[in-house]
Structures are given as structure tokens and as C-alpha cells.
Amino acid sequence: MNLIILLLPIIAIVLMFRSQKKRQSQMQQMQTALEPGAGVRTIGGLYAQVKAVNDETVELEIAPGVVTHFTKSAVAAVLEPQEYDAIINGRPEDDELSEPEAEDVAEAAPAEDKPLSLTKDSAEKGDAEGGAPASK
């Protein structure tokens, strides 16, 4: 019985060290696989494209013409090209509204082509002519 009480914490510690070592090796493998042109996410949640990889740093382009320097350990994930493109440029084409849904949206639009105006003149006219309600 005493042997089980002694072995249980030792086994738990060994398993924790193993999983931590595995995570460290995966992170190091990802950092060595960084190459220019890859899309990445930093630990701060910044999405960027790798421009150059140095010994301990990586140059990331966060906007067109804006290059910053980060340590390699600041890169949390290397993204697939399609995933990076979907995040940076918006939804992929597959997720856009299908034709029946687009027709429903068009039917819900007001028939009036006159744009809303929030000027003082339209507020005086009240809601009867499509302006904002008159203030008291």
C-alpha cells in the first residue's frame, strides 16, 4: 500500500516532464521549419507573413511594406497558405451567400432608392418622409 502512495506522484511527474519535452520539441521543429513566404500567428495573436529568418529572430511583414522583427519563440503557429489567406482576406468563396439567400437579402431591402439623411432638415420633416423623427 505504501509503495503505491510513493509511486503515484513519481509517475505523475515523469508523465508531466514527458509531455513538456514533447511540446518543446514540436515548438523547436516548427521554428526551424520557418521559411520566407509562410503565414504565421504570433503568441500575441498577430497574423503576418515571414519575410526573412535569422539565427534567433524572424522578420514579419504585418502590413504591406511594414516589416517587424520578432524572436522565433514569439511565433505560435505556422499556418497553411489557404488558412492564412482566408484569415487575412476574409471568408473563402465557399462560405459566401448562395443565390437563394442573396435573393432573400435583396427582398428585405427597402424599395425606396432615396438614401437616408441625418441632416437637420430631414429631422424637421419627421418620419413621414423617410427622415429621422423630429426631436422635441
Side-chain angles (χ1 to χ4, degrees), residues 1-9:
M1 180 71 171
N2 290 337
L3 186 61
I4 293 174
I5 293 173
L6 182 65
L7 287 178
L8 219 51

Side-chain angles (χ1 to χ4, degrees), residues 61-120:
E61 184 176 39
I62 57 175
V66 180
V67 178
T68 58
H69 297 268
F70 284 85
T71 62
K72 285 185 178 180
S73 62
V75 176
V78 177
L79 305 173
E80 296 292 324
Q82 294 169 339
E83 181 184 4
Y84 178 75
D85 189 51
I87 291 169
I88 297 303
N89 298 323
R91 297 184 322 181
E93 293 178 12
D94 303 349
D95 293 345
E96 299 212 6
L97 288 176
S98 63
E99 289 182 28
E101 292 174 0
E103 291 172 4
D104 293 341
V105 172
E107 289 175 8
E112 225 175 276
D113 290 338
K114 187 169 123 181
L116 288 176
S117 174
L118 298 177
T119 62
K120 191 172 184 176

